[in-house]
Amino acid sequence: MPSVLVVEDDQFVRSALIRHLTEASHTVRSVGTALEALREVAHFRFDVVILDLGLPDLDGAEALKMLRGITDVPVIIATARDDESEIVRLLNDGADDYLTKPFSVEHLSARMAAVLRRSRAAGGEAPPPRVIQVGGLSIDPLRRQAQLDGAELDLTRREFDLLTFLAGRPGVVVARRELLAEVWQQSYGDDQTIDVHLSWLRRKLGETAARPRYLHTLRGVGVKLQPPAAPPEQPA
C-alpha cells in the first residue's frame, strides 16, 4: 500500500486530497508547513510526496531543495504558478513531476501512478554490471557516477538516468515516446519535460543544441548520443 505525504496549507485542498488518496488505498499523512514536511520525511518512509509551493513558513521551492538534501523520495509539485522558468527550475532542483492547480483527481492519480511505477522499477532492477564508455564519457550506473574527460559531472537524478539510457544505445536514435516510457515511466507527457532535461544536460556536457558534441536531436524523430567525430588528420 503506497504511502503518501501531502504538504498543503489550504485545509480544504488538503482534506480533499486526503479523502481521494485514502479512497484509492493509499496510506496518507499530511502537514501544512515545510518544517513539518522535513520532520516527516526524516522519521517516516514515503513512496511519494505531493508538495505545495505556497507554504506559510518557507517557499515550496526552497523546501524541495531541503528535501533533496535528505531523501530521494519522488516529489510531485502542486502549484498555482504556471511560469515556465520556475517550472524548469523546479525540475532541475529535483522535482519528479508537477501539476498546475486546479487539477482533477484523475490527473493526479495518473501522475502518481507514473511516478510510483518508475520508483518501483528502479528499485527492482538488478544493478547494471558494467561502466558505459562513449568517447570521453564514462558512466558507472551502479555508483551513479558520470565523468566527462576525467572530470566528475554534477547531474540530477533524472539527468543521470537520461544520460545513462542514451549512452547505453550509442548512435541509436531514441524517440521521445520511448524516452517518456523508459526514463520517465510515463505512457504520455509533455515534450517540454524532455527538452528541459536535455537542455540542462547539454549545458553540463559543454555543448548546445546548435553545436552538439554528444547529444544530437533529429527534429521530429528523436535524440541520439554518440561520441564526437575525431578531428581530421593533418598532412605530414
Side-chain angles (χ1 to χ4, degrees), residues 148 153-156 159 199-206:
L148 176 61
L153 291 171
D154 182 16
L155 304 178
T156 65
E159 289 167 353
S199 174
W200 282 88
L201 190 52
R202 282 192 175 102
R203 183 175 300 183
K204 293 178 181 181
L205 294 177

Side-chain angles (χ1 to χ4, degrees), residues 86-132:
E86 181 165 20
I87 291 171
V88 169
R89 180 166 57 87
L90 290 166
L91 290 171
N92 283 282
D93 282 344
D96 292 82
D97 207 342
Y98 69 92
L99 285 168
T100 303
K101 296 179 179 178
F103 51 81
S104 67
V105 292
E106 291 79 13
H107 196 174
L108 173 61
S109 293
R111 294 296 183 96
M112 281 186 58
V115 167
L116 289 169
R117 282 197 304 271
R118 179 173 67 249
S119 179
R120 287 165 180 161
E125 293 175 352
R130 62 184 179 87
V131 173
I132 302 171

